Amino acid sequence: MKFSHSLKFNAVPDWAEHYVAYDYLKNIIFDIEKRRVETINTQIDSETASHRWMKTNHASSDMSNTPTEDETRFISALDSQLEKVAKFFTQKEATVCNLLDNVDRKVDDCPEDPYPDNGELTLYTHHSSNSVITAQLAQLQQQQQPRTSTTTMDNMMLMRHNNSTNNSLLIAPTNHNINMFKTTSRLSQQPITGTEDTSSSILAPPPPAATTTTTTHNDEKHNNNNITASSTKGLTHKMSFESRLSTQTTREYESFVEHLFDLRVQLIQLYILASDLESFIDLNKTAFSKILKKYDKVLNGHLRKEYMNTKVLVAKPFTEMTTGKLRYVIERVERVYADMFCHGHIQRAIRQMKTHLRDQVSYERNTVWKDMVTQERHIHGAHINEPKVPESLYRIPFTSLEIPVKQLRNMSLFLLSFVIFLVLVNIHIFGSSEENHCFALLVFAAMLWATEAIPLYATSLLIPFLIIPLGVMRNETDGSHMSAKDASKEVFASMFNGTIMMLLSGFALAGALSKYGIAKAFASHVLSRAGTRPRWVLLSIMLVAAFLSMWISNVATPVLCFSLIDPILRTLPDNSPVATCLLLGIALASCIGGMTSPISSPQNIITVQYMNPSPGWGIWFAVALPISLISIVMCWILLLMVYRPDRTCAHLNTIKPTKGKITIQQIFVLFVATTTIILWCVGTSIEDTIGSTGVIASIPLFVFFGTGILGKDDLHAFLWSVVILAQGGMALGNAVTSSGLLQNIALHIKDGIENFDVLTILIIFSSLILVFSTFVSHTVAALIIVPIVQQVGQQLPQPHPNLLVMGAGLACSAGMGLPVSGFPNMSAIMLEDPKGKPYLTTRDFIITGIPTSIFCTIFVCTLGYGILTAVGY
């Protein structure tokens, strides 16, 4: 979660405009950065410009003692925000003073309890705890006491505190007792004036502990006596305040209880205000620190330490004295509330009052899954009301009912699919009812997946429900109809296997590598050395995207890479084609990177499931890496020819490498990831020991979650919709195989292509799966077509199932001609510039994505075929 989001979440809604304008200050930083880049690009000589660019990046080290115009502008904005925060704090401080004064008066005016013996509303004060609080406050005052002549007043305050608290051991709230208790909570009514004059502050805590040494022994003795006295009366008849509201109904008693009720309301109001004010100080202090850190990082400045020490930390709201005084007020309110309404139990009082506070959102580093575009937009919408585009409505004829057009479309497509399903169930196309019913289910699921009439994962959840009632499963031994009980066991067993473990393991590796900054550190260090020329930055970011896709999947890689080039995007002119070029490069390279390793995309994991024996990581790398590298180079050349980024912008902003020391957690994550990948690479040679690669996949899961590297929130952030989609596809694939339908379809296809050579068959299936994956999705294409390809390969006169399956699986990743063709494209099409205009359009994907898809498929069918043949497939 970004700090700007955390600030919005934790801010008191009514005070929102009085917090540090973090986004405004951040925009000033980015505007300064953008103007510097524009200045560089206005130079005529590119070499001189490059030299001046490097000089600008290091100028701050030579001018650290001389404020520049940009620094002066930023400091002026900071001063304005600091003044705003301090002014609002002073106002709220006065409100705290008034509330404390009202509480004092309420205690003064409290009537005598008409039924002290029946009610036993005991004002117990645990003096052992009170002494600890007094000592802590005295120590705080001694550590933070300003060097001014306030000792006499502070000593008087501490004496009043000790005397009043020692006399507040009361059995019931009589007038005498309330008057004595009043002294405990009464404080001066003067507002805080800062470190120059603390004696007049209402929040002033007691003075140094040295002034209390002469009374400590007597106080403790008096406390012990009072505790003994209080413990001898009525300890077994403690009635809660809520119970007393209904036990007595006399007019006198109702007046007494009503007075206590009003007092409790005022105490809670004071507690909420003081707690919110404490949070206000903490959030704004953090905001100043982080925005100064961003300034130093983005503009190579050295402003943070000096400004924090000379201005922020000495400002009235942020001094240690102010924080201590506010904490003292909160603790005093907790003590008053505990004595009045909780029989002196501090923790019970705190629990009751905290129920009225707002929940606080913790600030922590995200995994890459939490940064997915759709989740980020959901987070933004939690506190920012963006205007919604009105949906088109359709009015139902002869009625006044209106429904959204999109909903009507989905309903119509679902009903059409369902009607076709019912028709196919009742006609006989194949020789057995199991095959007929399974064919109807296959068509129904394919239509729902293709049209997305309902969410993809919802269709997957529907499949197991339909498999059992339709009776499509057969026994492997004799081909007889499988009972519903056995079929349900078989279906659910197929939905959780080694393939799903591989998918979950990939998510865990991606989460750990991103959470601890390993992936970002690697990528930023590589890109920081790419220079400033657009063509080399483009090639570098494409290679980085393809490499990261090997390990954290091409589902997560685009999100990370988009965030890495943000320093470049924010410094480009409006409507610059360079932004389009860079974003397209990341999306297309991530699609190509989806074929680089068995865990780089969901379709690869599905492909591995249908290969027997498993190819292992070595063979996969030998086939996929050459195809991927050549495809990326061809895509890079195409982007340069279409968008000509060098002509638009001679130099780009530099991407700065992440800084920080290597931590033990990072070393541990790298060790586990490396060990897992090595075991996967040698999986075929140790399968007699481990059984399958799914067993190896469990290593990062139990290690990362067992050691706390990843937590429950990280588990919740996994893309479970993708997992469910894969599980539904596996259940359908198992049903199609068990029913005999898959073999029947494969035999019919084989009769038409058995005279073709293997290369021609590979071209046919690769072209078919390319079209399907372009218009639907890579994962769905693999779920539907790869099982058929496997059966066809097995039925050929010379079987080549692994060659055809792997070739078809690689061709799935080649589909990238439309925004809906894969996860990288879907993520890229959603990105918008600061004005809300999308960076990319469908036209951009058609112009560059379709040619790249064709080139990639050609390389799969030529270079890939040659390598697969060479390895014996």
Side-chain angles (χ1 to χ4, degrees):
M1 181 190 298
K2 297 179 180 179
F3 177 74
S4 57
H5 300 162
S6 178
L7 183 62
K8 292 184 180 73
F9 287 165
N10 293 320
V12 179
D14 294 338
W15 301 357
E17 61 183 12
H18 302 288
Y19 286 81
V20 172
Y22 189 83
D23 289 334
Y24 166 72
L25 295 174
K26 188 166 64 174
N27 288 335
I28 291 178
I29 296 174
F30 294 159
D31 182 63
I32 295 173
E33 181 187 33
K34 183 177 182 179
R35 288 196 298 106
R36 289 186 180 181
V37 175
E38 291 174 350
T39 301
I40 297 301
N41 284 312
T42 56
Q43 306 298 324
I44 298 176
D45 187 353
S46 61
E47 293 184 3
T48 303
S50 180
H51 173 72
R52 293 190 181 185
W53 171 259
M54 298 304 295
K55 183 178 179 181
T56 301
N57 278 339
H58 299 284
S60 59
S61 61
D62 300 328
M63 302 175 60
S64 57
N65 296 324
T66 305
T68 63
E69 180 183 351
D70 294 335
E71 185 174 306
T72 302
R73 174 190 173 193
F74 184 66
I75 291 176
S76 177
L78 285 174
D79 291 342
S80 176
Q81 295 298 315
L82 185 58
E83 182 181 358
K84 178 183 73 173
V85 171
K87 182 178 179 181
F88 181 74
F89 174 80
T90 303
Q91 295 173 358
K92 289 302 173 183
E93 175 197 359
T95 305
V96 171
C97 296
N98 293 333
L99 286 176
L100 276 171
D101 189 48
N102 291 338
V103 169
D104 267 346
R105 285 198 298 268
K106 203 70 179 176
V107 173
D108 286 338
D109 299 338
C110 186
E112 184 177 356
D113 187 354
Y115 304 99
D117 294 333
N118 292 336
E120 282 300 330
L121 184 61
T122 311
L123 295 181
Y124 295 113
T125 302
H126 297 261
H127 283 271
S128 58
S129 301
N130 204 343
S131 300
V132 173
I133 294 176
T134 303
Q136 291 175 344
L137 293 171
Q139 183 179 6
L140 174 67
Q141 178 68 11
Q142 185 177 19
Q143 294 173 352
Q144 302 174 353
Q145 183 179 6
R147 298 179 180 178
T148 58
S149 57
T150 60
T151 307
T152 303
M153 187 54 148
D154 289 340
N155 288 344
M156 292 175 61
M157 287 296 297
L158 183 60
M159 293 174 63
R160 289 174 59 194
H161 176 80
N162 287 336
N163 292 336
S164 63
T165 52
N166 289 335
N167 292 329
S168 63
L169 283 173
L170 310 175
I171 301 302
T174 63
N175 282 338
H176 174 67
N177 294 336
I178 292 296
N179 288 334
M180 295 173 65
F181 184 78
K182 169 189 72 65
T183 310
T184 305
S185 61
R186 179 176 297 279
L187 298 170
S188 172
Q189 300 179 17
Q190 299 298 323
I192 299 177
T193 59
T195 57
E196 286 77 10
D197 183 11
T198 59
S199 61
S200 60
S201 173
I202 182 173
L203 305 181
T211 61
T212 66
T213 54
T214 58
T215 61
T216 302
H217 180 72
N218 293 332
D219 288 344
E220 292 179 353
K221 180 178 180 181
H222 185 65
N223 292 347
N224 293 334
N225 293 336
N226 280 330
I227 293 174
T228 304
S230 65
S231 64
T232 60
K233 181 179 180 180
L235 289 179
T236 59
H237 302 285
K238 298 177 182 177
M239 294 182 63
S240 67
F241 171 71
E242 290 76 6
S243 300
R244 301 193 68 182
L245 291 175
S246 57
T247 54
Q248 301 292 342
T249 58
T250 64
R251 185 173 181 180
E252 183 182 13
Y253 192 77
E254 287 178 353
S255 175
F256 171 73
V257 173
E258 182 180 354
H259 191 91
L260 291 182
F261 184 82
D262 292 340
L263 176 60
R264 184 165 74 163
V265 170
Q266 291 185 11
L267 285 170
I268 291 174
Q269 289 177 346
L270 178 57
Y271 186 78
I272 293 174
L273 178 60
S275 299
D276 285 344
L277 198 57
E278 187 178 46
S279 172
F280 176 82
I281 294 173
D282 182 64
L283 280 174
N284 282 293
K285 182 178 178 181
T286 305
F288 277 115
S289 176
K290 286 189 171 292
I291 200 64
L292 286 164
K293 179 181 179 182
K294 181 172 286 293
Y295 176 88
D296 290 346
K297 178 181 178 182
V298 173
L299 302 176
N300 294 316
H302 300 84
L303 185 61
R304 181 186 184 188
K305 184 177 181 181
E306 178 184 357
Y307 193 88
M308 287 295 295
N309 292 334
T310 60
K311 291 194 175 183
V312 175
L313 297 181
V314 299
K316 179 179 178 180
F318 304 112
T319 61
E320 294 183 2
M321 180 64 70
T322 299
T323 305
K325 292 171 183 176
L326 193 57
R327 174 45 44 186
Y328 173 76
V329 169
I330 293 174
E331 291 178 354
R332 291 303 303 143
V333 173
E334 292 169 353
R335 166 54 60 192
V336 173
Y337 190 94
D339 288 340
M340 293 294 288
F341 304 105
C342 298
H343 306 297
H345 295 284
I346 291 289
Q347 294 302 321
R348 185 186 304 171
I350 293 174
R351 284 196 302 270
Q352 290 185 13
M353 289 192 290
K354 278 191 174 181
T355 59
H356 301 277
L357 298 179
R358 299 175 304 106
D359 292 334
Q360 297 292 303
V361 180
S362 60
Y363 177 80
E364 61 178 8
R365 184 184 294 274
N366 280 353
T367 64
V368 72
W369 305 118
K370 295 180 183 178
D371 288 332
M372 294 299 289
V373 174
T374 53
Q375 295 185 16
E376 279 289 303
R377 291 192 168 194
H378 177 71
I379 291 172
H380 283 231
H383 277 276
I384 301 175
N385 295 321
E386 299 178 354
K388 295 183 179 180
V389 178
E391 291 185 302
S392 300
L393 299 177
Y394 175 79
R395 184 172 182 177
I396 301 177
F398 309 108
T399 67
S400 59
L401 298 177
E402 293 182 338
I403 60 175
V405 173
K406 183 178 180 180
Q407 183 178 351
L408 178 62
R409 169 192 172 276
N410 292 338
M411 291 173 58
S412 301
L413 290 173
F414 181 82
L415 289 175
L416 176 63
S417 303
F418 187 69
V419 170
I420 295 175
F421 168 70
L422 292 178
V423 173
L424 292 176
V425 166
N426 290 282
I427 62 176
H428 297 283
I429 301 176
F430 300 94
S432 65
S433 60
E434 290 87 359
E435 292 182 39
N436 286 318
H437 292 171
C438 191
F439 180 71
L441 175 59
L442 177 63
V443 173
F444 183 48
M447 290 185 66
L448 291 181
W449 275 332
T451 61
E452 293 190 51
I454 60 176
L456 297 177
Y457 56 85
T459 302
S460 294
L461 294 172
L462 178 64
I463 289 172
F465 170 76
L466 293 178
I467 289 176
I468 308 304
L470 290 174
V472 301
M473 303 291 288
R474 286 178 171 178
N475 292 309
E476 292 185 7
T477 54
D478 54 4
S480 61
H481 180 75
M482 187 180 294
S483 65
K485 185 176 181 180
D486 293 338
S488 62
K489 292 180 180 179
E490 183 75 15
V491 168
F492 289 118
S494 67
M495 294 180 69
F496 192 86
N497 50 30
T499 305
I500 297 298
M501 288 297 293
M502 288 276 289
L503 191 60
L504 294 176
S505 180
F507 288 165
L509 288 173
L513 290 172
S514 61
K515 183 174 184 178
Y516 292 92
I518 299 172
K520 186 174 183 179
F522 164 78
S524 63
H525 277 80
V526 172
L527 294 176
S528 66
R529 291 165 172 79
T532 60
R533 294 295 298 274
R535 64 174 60 196
W536 304 123
V537 173
L538 174 62
L539 180 60
S540 298
I541 192 65
M542 292 177 69
L543 292 174
V544 166
F547 180 78
L548 291 179
S549 296
M550 296 172 62
W551 317 114
I552 66 174
S553 89
N554 72 339
V555 179
T557 294
V559 180
L560 176 61
C561 290
F562 292 150
S563 65
L564 286 173
I565 66 168
D566 185 62
I568 296 176
L569 297 180
R570 65 179 179 238
T571 57
L572 292 173
D574 295 338
N575 302 319
S576 173
V578 177
T580 303
C581 184
L582 290 174
L583 294 175
L584 267 178
I586 292 173
L588 299 181
S590 297
C591 288
I592 297 172
M595 65 175 68
T596 50
S597 77
I599 63 168
S600 59
S601 60
Q603 61 266 22
N604 288 4
I605 296 176
I606 295 169
T607 301
V608 171
Q609 182 188 12
Y610 288 97
M611 297 182 68
N612 187 24
S614 177
W617 281 55
I619 295 179
W620 193 284
F621 281 156
V623 178
L625 289 183
I627 297 174
S628 302
L629 289 174
I630 297 175
S631 298
I632 288 174
V633 172
M634 290 298 298
C635 181
W636 173 63
I637 296 174
L638 181 63
L639 289 171
L640 293 180
M641 294 174 60
V642 173
Y643 294 100
R644 299 183 180 274
D646 286 342
R647 292 188 179 183
T648 305
C649 185
H651 294 275
L652 302 177
N653 190 17
T654 54
I655 297 177
K656 299 174 179 62
T658 56
K659 299 179 180 179
K661 297 181 179 179
I662 298 177
T663 63
I664 296 178
Q665 291 89 343
Q666 291 174 329
I667 296 174
F668 181 73
V669 169
L670 283 174
F671 173 75
V672 174
T674 304
T675 303
T676 304
I677 293 170
I678 292 175
L679 290 176
W680 273 333
C681 292
V682 299
T684 54
S685 60
I686 59 174
E687 63 181 3
D688 293 337
T689 303
I690 59 157
S692 70
T693 54
V695 177
I696 300 174
S698 63
I699 294 175
L701 289 170
F702 74 78
V703 170
F704 287 156
F705 287 104
T707 58
I709 293 295
L710 296 178
K712 182 173 63 176
D713 292 339
D714 301 316
L715 180 64
H716 292 166
F718 281 6
L719 293 183
W720 291 106
S721 59
V722 176
V723 176
I724 294 174
L725 175 61
Q727 288 180 317
M730 291 172 186
L732 179 61
N734 186 45
V736 171
T737 303
S738 176
S739 66
L741 175 65
L742 186 61
Q743 185 177 8
N744 202 336
I745 293 175
L747 289 173
H748 283 81
I749 295 176
K750 186 207 68 161
D751 293 338
I753 63 174
E754 62 180 351
N755 295 325
F756 298 157
D757 56 28
V758 177
L759 177 59
T760 305
I761 297 174
L762 176 61
I763 293 174
I764 293 173
F765 279 118
S766 297
S767 302
L768 174 64
I769 208 166
L770 171 64
V771 174
F772 203 89
S773 62
T774 299
F775 287 95
V776 189
S777 76
H778 300 167
T779 306
V780 173
L783 288 171
I784 296 175
I785 299 179
V786 168
I788 298 175
V789 174
Q790 182 209 31
Q791 284 294 320
V792 171
Q794 290 179 345
Q795 301 297 330
L796 291 176
Q798 293 183 354
H800 295 281
N802 276 7
L803 186 150
L804 294 178
V805 167
M806 187 167 183
L810 295 177
C812 286
S813 298
M816 58 190 91
L818 292 174
V820 297
S821 298
F823 288 105
N825 291 12
M826 294 177 189
S827 300
I829 196 67
M830 288 193 240
L831 294 178
E832 298 175 346
D833 63 18
K835 296 182 179 180
K837 181 181 177 181
Y839 283 110
L840 302 175
T841 63
T842 302
R843 178 178 176 273
D844 295 316
F845 283 101
I846 293 175
I847 291 176
T848 57
I850 291 180
T852 303
S853 299
I854 295 174
F855 282 128
C856 191
T857 305
I858 292 174
F859 293 143
V860 169
C861 296
T862 55
L863 180 61
Y865 172 79
I867 299 175
L868 288 169
T869 303
V871 298
Y873 282 177

